[in-house]
Amino acid sequence: MQLDYLATVLLSSLSSASILLIATLGLAVVYGLMGVINLAHGEFLMVGAYSALTATQIGLPYPLAIPFAVAMTMLIGAIVELLIIQRLYGRIFDTMLATWGLGMVFNQGAVLLFGTVSPGIGMPQWNFSIGAYSLAVYPIAMIFVAIVMLTFIYVLMTKTVYGMKARASIQEPQMAQAIGIDSTRVNTMTFAIGCGLAGFAGAILLPIIPATPSMGLFFAVKGFLAVVVAGPVALTGTAATALGLGGGASITASYMSSVFGDVFFFLATALLLWLYPMGISSRWRRKL
Amino acid sequence: MASEAVGAIKMFQKLHKNAGLVFPTLATILALSMAGFLDPYLAFVATSWVIFGLLGLSLDVIWGRGGLLSLAQTAFYGLGGYFGAVIAINLAPSTGMTLIWALPSAAIFGAIIAAALGYVIFFSRMGALQSTILSYTFTLLLWTVTQTFRLDVGTAVIGGDNGLSNIPGVILGFGPDADRLGPNGAFAATVAVSACVYFFTRWLMRSNFGKLVDCIRIDIEKTELLGYDIRKVQVLNFAYSGAIAGIAGAMFALWANYLNPSIFSVQEALLVPIYVLVGGLGTLSGAFLGALAIGGLSFWLGGGAAGGQTTLILGAVLVLLVLFLQNGFLGALDKIWRLYLPDPNDAARNAGAVKIDTDVLEDILKDATAHAGPAKSLSTDEAFKQFGGVIPVNKVTRDFVPGQPYALIGPNGAGKSSFLKTCVGIYRPEGGSILLDDDDITKAPIFDRVHKGMGVKNQKPQVFGEITVQENLWIAAYARTKNSANADKVSQRILGMLGMDGQSAVQASALSHGQQQWLDIGMVLCLAPRVVLLDEPAAGMTNEETRELSLLVRTLAKHTTVVVVEHDMEFVRTLEGHVTVLHQGQLFAEGDIDTLRANDAVLDVYLGRGEHV
């Protein structure tokens, strides 16, 4: 085993774990701060990707297409929260079913609007090499994007008034309302942010994962697993599970095959749930 | 006239009670008689609706009854379909008759897979959300894997995303040259199979097994506190639902003559909860109604089977259903029907006073001793429980022996309830040990401790709200006797002692807080416990009731070990037993109530003054 091969495998595995984390963070925020599992998360990612794609097609440069996608998904997310999620507070499985149905509507809507095949986005291909192996820059850059996203969410949740209200609302809902926090509005904001993060993920990953109506599903499934295995401490827990499961699956995939990678992911998930039936962070003392 | 009206109401009530039998029977007869002259194409399409109804039924068993939203039903359905189809392909050419091969094998296969998944979910006591997501993953894993899965089994060729073709149709005759049924015959056969499965399921869900499944859904902790190994019941129920899904899958394979991995797809999985929600969750027959409505709708929209825009509409339908029609069509109908029936919960308002007859109670307790053995002692040795920085049970060492009641007192947050919960196993201690006589039960699951003789009433009264008072007591008595007739007898006696004869048909949720306390205590008595732990039994009771309770506890203590947590000092005084004061998770003082009342340190703790706080 050459050192350069090992470094390549590690780096690209870290990269794919980061991609998974990017796609999952919005879900973790919504689950961690609202206790809601948004089964339409993957479709919001898809909406973000199509928004960015459409923006570039009408001539917007790619860096500007990303904020456009975030704004679009946040707007749609806020509307969905007001119309659907808000009526179902405290009914987690009903929320799941409703967002599942919503996801199907989005999915089918995208098929009708854009067709099932979409053009990719033209991006220059930069490469760099480690020893005898060449790696594309953009996927590796996702490691930094993931770190930036994590830091952003951490700061948002700990240093801003909104973040503190949101954390207060999930930890002690009645107390939060008693001291005058309008938890309904906070929740609308949280859901919109969660969807915005999904939109950001869809847009930033567009050069790697082309927009298709069902693109979200792949990430969403692994994302749900990462979040659910993470348990109550959604943010830190999800970072840990996404890196562990995603990285492990990617390493398995590079030594065996992609099917084995998936099998590793699902089996490791089942094993973790067996060992920690309420999620790995159920006994952690930190709360974010 | 009046008697005629009463008779009519009785009839009406009876019909309501047996609606799940009468109307499906009528529907089956109607469908079978229509099978002869139905347009063949309509018969062909309608067959799929019945199959989807069967699939919906499998979800209703595990979700509406069992309480787990399983998104793996299409996985069992698909796997059952593939397995049954492979068997049918290989055996049909020589023996004909596809049903007797395909259906049992698909049912068994579906049940085994569901049991395996259920074992992982229920034996690890996975959270509800985790379980649902894991079941969804399982379906999607199959979807990915089957795309490339190729295998030849005899003459059957499973060709990845090319699917499995050449599946024989529904053949009823035997021998190599038996004819396959036409669309109308296949429709009739499918209806007959589905009707059999439905009526069997209805019978099963009304049997003792079904009652347990209901209780687990309503209050899983209480069911375990009655001594039932809930995990086994849940796995069995899941396996049964897997078997139904497997049968549905095999029928689907025989109907379509072709299977491919799209059977595991999200679209397919989405439909199942829709069927159940449209018809009415937990109603069993609702699933068929839902499948008929959705199938009919998409047929009428021109799509035939689901596909294209249908998905869009169905997604929107699911959202609307969840938002606006929670109990489905049958649930709404039932609500209207009940308006015209006398309310059985009326009786809750004129409940008689509880009157503990010590002779009857002594009788019951002697009986219990005869069946369950002599009273046991409970001891804890350095029991230790920690939640983060809070230590509610801090190295408590105490013996409780039969003969006199023990009272645990202490200010709020002293760790009294936590101590009881540690003893019964709701909390797992981090250190120390708990002994029942000489039996170390520190690591035993709750139901095992109850088997060994513990009976617990938690602080909040735990009764099964949706079922009647009599059924509550019965299910408790059945946990010990394992015999319906004996359970009837025991529950009847306790019911009489609680003075609730008039309320036996009242739903437990309609009782007042104090009555629920009594019912909960009654359920504990049904278990004939050798050690009784009561957490704030007097809360919500009137003065007279508290006096009766005191009498009950003192009588109990003559025959068993009794530990009571209570705030009501007057009540504790009347117990004339041993009193232990807990403070910050530790033993603080003990003795009889008068000594403790004279103890300055105890007063400091209670009143929050001085250096002991």
Side-chain angles (χ1 to χ4, degrees):
Chain A
M1 185 76 56
Q2 298 95 334
L3 212 58
D4 55 349
Y5 180 68
L6 197 67
T8 316
V9 167
L10 281 180
L11 209 54
S12 60
S13 297
L14 193 57
S15 145
S16 47
S18 302
I19 291 174
L20 177 64
L21 184 59
I22 291 171
T24 308
L25 276 173
L27 197 64
V29 166
V30 171
Y31 176 60
L33 294 175
M34 288 174 73
V36 163
I37 285 281
N38 174 15
L39 281 188
H41 179 79
E43 278 68 30
F44 274 102
L45 195 132
M46 178 266 296
V47 170
Y50 271 109
S51 305
L53 182 67
T54 313
T56 53
Q57 279 170 348
I58 58 169
L60 223 58
Y62 179 60
L64 284 182
I66 296 175
F68 173 73
V70 173
M72 278 295 288
T73 44
M74 280 186 81
L75 183 69
I76 298 174
I79 295 171
V80 166
E81 210 280 340
L82 288 172
L83 290 182
I84 299 174
I85 312 291
Q86 209 162 84
R87 298 160 179 270
L88 299 173
Y89 283 164
R91 289 157 57 185
I92 182 166
F93 292 102
D94 289 337
T95 320
M96 281 172 70
L97 286 172
T99 50
W100 196 19
L102 187 76
M104 295 313 298
V105 171
F106 280 9
N107 192 337
Q108 200 62 35
V111 172
L112 293 177
L113 278 174
F114 303 103
T116 47
V117 188
S118 290
I121 173 170
M123 283 284 283
Q125 280 282 327
W126 292 302
N127 291 303
F128 71 105
S129 50
I130 301 177
Y133 300 92
S134 169
L135 283 171
V137 171
Y138 199 84
I140 303 297
M142 290 302 113
I143 300 171
F144 298 102
V145 173
I147 294 170
V148 169
M149 257 176 109
L150 265 179
T151 319
F152 168 75
I153 296 170
Y154 188 79
V155 171
L156 183 71
M157 292 307 156
T158 51
K159 305 287 182 216
T160 65
V161 175
Y162 153 75
M164 291 187 201
K165 282 182 178 177
R167 286 162 58 213
S169 301
I170 184 84
Q171 283 180 26
E172 289 295 337
Q174 273 127 26
M175 193 62 214
Q177 284 177 341
I179 60 170
I181 296 174
D182 183 353
S183 56
T184 310
R185 266 181 59 190
V186 171
N187 279 339
T188 309
M189 188 65 193
T190 305
F191 196 79
I193 289 177
C195 294
L197 288 170
F200 174 78
I204 195 95
L205 297 176
L206 193 56
I208 312 174
I209 300 135
T212 57
S214 57
M215 66 180 288
L217 191 69
F218 171 75
F219 286 111
V221 171
K222 290 191 170 177
F224 298 141
L225 290 176
V227 169
V228 167
V229 172
V233 188
L235 201 61
T236 325
T238 304
T241 50
L243 288 180
L245 292 171
S250 176
I251 291 174
T252 316
S254 45
Y255 282 105
M256 296 163 88
S257 76
S258 65
V259 172
F260 276 101
D262 283 350
V263 170
F264 169 88
F265 195 104
F266 293 123
L267 290 185
T269 302
L271 185 72
L272 282 173
L273 284 178
W274 170 270
L275 294 175
Y276 303 94
M278 307 303 282
I280 60 165
S281 64
S282 55
R283 297 210 186 122
W284 291 4
R285 289 187 61 190
R286 55 176 303 140
K287 290 275 179 273
L288 193 65
Chain B
M1 270 314 269
S3 69
E4 264 172 43
V6 170
I9 287 177
K10 280 246 164 73
M11 273 285 287
F12 207 45
Q13 256 174 322
K14 220 171 171 179
L15 184 64
H16 179 257
K17 211 175 149 200
N18 293 312
L21 198 64
V22 175
F23 294 105
T25 308
L26 291 177
T28 310
I29 294 171
L30 185 72
L32 287 179
S33 53
M34 270 167 58
F37 56 84
L38 218 55
D39 167 57
Y41 179 65
L42 184 61
F44 176 73
V45 178
T47 307
S48 72
W49 305 341
V50 179
I51 294 171
F52 294 150
L54 201 54
L55 177 59
L57 175 67
S58 85
L59 177 65
D60 205 19
V61 165
I62 187 64
W63 184 27
R65 292 307 179 99
L68 163 70
L69 171 54
S70 156
L71 302 180
Q73 296 312 110
T74 47
F76 311 139
Y77 171 73
L79 287 174
Y82 267 98
F83 195 76
V86 166
I87 302 262
I89 291 172
N90 283 296
L91 290 177
S94 52
T95 63
M97 186 65 191
T98 45
L99 291 186
I100 60 162
W101 307 122
L103 297 191
S105 56
I108 291 168
F109 195 61
I112 290 173
I113 303 286
L117 186 63
Y119 182 82
V120 173
I121 289 177
F122 297 120
F123 272 73
S124 72
R125 296 172 185 257
M126 209 171 274
L129 177 67
Q130 280 77 5
S131 316
T132 299
I133 291 291
L134 190 71
S135 67
Y136 189 40
T137 320
F138 182 67
T139 309
L140 293 167
L141 177 66
L142 281 173
W143 193 21
T144 10
V145 169
T146 48
Q147 304 284 349
T148 53
F149 184 80
R150 283 161 209 285
L151 185 69
D152 293 358
V153 192
T155 45
V157 182
I158 301 172
D161 49 8
N162 289 327
L164 170 67
S165 46
N166 299 323
I167 303 171
V170 179
I171 304 173
L172 285 184
F174 287 90
D177 37 50
D179 285 331
R180 61 181 282 186
L181 296 179
N184 292 55
F187 174 70
T190 308
V191 168
V193 168
S194 303
C196 290
V197 174
Y198 168 78
F199 289 115
F200 180 77
T201 308
R202 181 181 138 84
W203 172 81
L204 187 70
M205 286 297 133
R206 291 162 65 92
S207 71
N208 295 344
F209 175 77
K211 284 178 192 161
L212 261 183
V213 168
D214 282 338
C215 285
I216 290 173
R217 182 191 70 243
I218 301 168
D219 189 338
I220 187 166
E221 186 182 89
K222 181 64 182 178
T223 316
E224 186 164 11
L225 282 174
L226 294 178
Y228 289 107
D229 187 350
I230 47 170
R231 307 168 303 176
K232 278 187 196 155
V233 178
Q234 286 175 305
V235 170
L236 276 178
N237 191 40
F238 202 25
Y240 179 66
S241 95
I244 302 177
I247 292 176
M251 289 307 299
F252 180 79
L254 297 179
W255 170 78
N257 306 120
Y258 172 72
L259 285 177
N260 72 16
S262 71
I263 199 166
F264 301 111
S265 70
V266 183
Q267 285 89 336
E268 198 74 30
L270 172 76
L271 287 169
V272 192
I274 296 185
Y275 299 145
V276 175
L277 284 176
V278 170
L281 185 62
T283 57
L284 301 184
S285 53
F288 290 98
L289 202 66
L292 191 70
I294 296 293
L297 182 74
S298 33
F299 186 69
W300 179 64
L301 285 173
Q309 267 62 294
T310 326
T311 322
L312 189 79
I313 295 164
L314 289 181
V317 165
L318 181 58
V319 176
L320 293 176
L321 274 174
V322 171
L323 284 178
F324 299 112
L325 198 65
Q326 191 58 65
N327 293 318
F329 181 71
L330 287 184
L333 209 64
D334 183 57
K335 211 170 169 184
I336 296 170
W337 196 339
R338 277 177 196 278
L339 291 180
Y340 295 95
L341 292 176
D343 184 0
N345 294 341
D346 275 345
R349 283 187 273 282
N350 36 44
V354 180
K355 186 81 193 147
I356 301 293
D357 184 336
T358 42
D359 290 341
V360 175
L361 184 61
E362 294 257 3
D363 245 26
I364 292 172
L365 290 171
K366 277 184 192 139
D367 234 34
T369 311
H371 284 113
K376 290 184 176 176
S377 64
L378 170 72
S379 26
T380 62
D381 183 25
E382 302 265 296
F384 183 81
K385 177 70 203 171
Q386 183 171 15
F387 291 107
V390 183
I391 304 174
V393 182
N394 195 353
K395 304 205 170 155
V396 177
T397 304
R398 190 80 193 82
D399 290 334
F400 303 97
V401 295
Q404 60 170 344
Y406 290 84
L408 287 181
I409 62 171
N412 281 327
K416 306 178 297 290
S417 296
S418 299
F419 178 68
L420 285 199
K421 285 185 172 169
T422 310
C423 288
V424 77
I426 296 172
Y427 294 161
R428 290 297 168 94
E430 268 94 36
S433 55
I434 298 160
L435 299 164
L436 207 56
D437 273 353
D438 296 324
D439 198 353
D440 189 336
I441 53 165
T442 315
K443 294 207 161 60
I446 298 174
F447 65 85
D448 199 24
R449 298 179 198 221
V450 177
H451 266 300
K452 290 180 172 146
M454 269 194 180
V456 183
K457 191 205 86 65
N458 275 324
Q459 188 170 349
K460 186 170 157 276
Q462 282 176 305
V463 296
F464 300 110
E466 293 169 36
I467 61 177
T468 67
V469 169
Q470 198 273 331
E471 286 167 329
N472 266 282
L473 293 170
W474 187 91
I475 205 87
Y478 185 74
R480 175 171 65 94
T481 59
K482 299 284 180 229
N483 175 306
S484 298
N486 284 349
D488 279 343
K489 227 183 294 167
V490 173
S491 57
Q492 219 47 329
R493 285 180 82 174
I494 304 274
L495 191 69
M497 196 188 70
L498 296 179
M500 288 189 182
D501 288 306
Q503 283 74 47
S504 67
V506 171
Q507 280 186 319
S509 58
L511 297 179
S512 71
H513 187 263
Q515 288 173 318
Q516 289 189 2
Q517 293 273 39
W518 279 112
L519 180 57
D520 198 350
I521 293 167
M523 287 165 84
V524 173
L525 291 179
C526 285
L527 296 174
R530 308 291 80 211
V531 174
V532 185
L533 309 178
L534 301 172
D535 196 346
E536 298 200 16
M541 286 189 179
T542 62
N543 285 340
E544 290 91 83
E545 284 179 320
T546 309
R547 272 199 289 282
E548 294 297 319
L549 182 68
S550 169
L551 183 63
L552 173 94
V553 170
R554 277 175 288 151
T555 317
L556 264 178
K558 285 184 203 156
H559 298 266
T560 60
T561 300
V562 184
V563 184
V564 181
V565 167
E566 202 32 84
H567 273 301
D568 184 340
M569 287 304 144
E570 196 45 40
F571 172 69
V572 172
R573 199 185 57 73
T574 62
L575 293 182
E576 296 167 350
H578 185 276
V579 180
T580 306
V581 183
L582 286 178
H583 179 49
Q584 294 183 344
Q586 287 172 310
L587 283 187
F588 187 74
E590 44 193 329
D592 63 66
I593 189 81
D594 294 319
T595 332
L596 291 173
R597 276 187 166 177
N599 184 333
D600 262 344
V602 172
L603 292 176
D604 285 346
V605 166
Y606 259 95
L607 302 177
R609 64 176 195 205
E611 71 244 46
H612 294 282
V613 180

